[in-house]
């Protein structure tokens, strides 16, 4: 879908985008691809004010949790003064 220019930031009726769904299902491969587009953001909230990380935690997808935490660490490392 990404190769056909699908919008990874598009939200469904509950406010979830592709990153939220990938996190909820524990698909680290999809999370990685979506984040590489530089359009999907780890900090996006759905209608319940949940981020993709929140959904990964709620669904006990530990690999996805670790992957998303690593992404936050990388962002923090780049923004240190």
């Amino acid at each position: 879908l990404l190769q056909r220019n699908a919008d990874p930031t598009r939200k469904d009726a509950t406010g979830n985008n592709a990153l939220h769904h990938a996190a909820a299902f524990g698909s680290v491969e999809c999370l990685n691809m979506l984040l590489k587009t530089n359009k999907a953001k780890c900090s996006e909230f759905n209608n319940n004010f949940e981020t993709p990380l929140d959904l990964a935690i709620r669904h006990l997808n530990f690999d996805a949790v670790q992957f998303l935490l690593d992404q936050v660490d990388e962002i923090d490392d780049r923004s240190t003064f």
Side-chain angles (χ1 to χ4, degrees):
L1 290 174
L2 291 174
Q3 290 175 346
R4 299 221 178 243
N5 296 320
D7 182 3
T9 63
R10 187 171 180 176
K11 295 184 175 189
D12 63 17
T14 61
N16 291 320
N17 61 27
L19 204 60
H20 286 92
H21 289 288
F25 285 102
S27 178
V28 173
E29 183 179 347
C30 286
L31 289 169
N32 190 35
M33 283 192 303
L34 290 164
L35 289 172
K36 283 183 178 180
T37 68
N38 290 324
K39 292 181 182 176
K41 305 285 185 224
C42 290
S43 58
E44 288 283 326
F45 291 104
N46 64 15
N47 295 351
N48 293 325
F49 301 101
E50 296 170 305
T51 65
L53 178 59
D54 294 322
L55 293 179
I57 292 169
R58 181 158 49 98
H59 292 278
L60 304 177
N61 292 319
F62 301 115
D63 290 338
V65 169
Q66 187 59 58
F67 177 81
L68 290 168
L69 288 173
D70 290 344
Q71 303 312 301
V72 172
D73 286 344
E74 282 184 28
I75 292 167
D76 288 345
D77 287 346
R78 282 186 262 145
S79 64
T80 6
F81 292 84

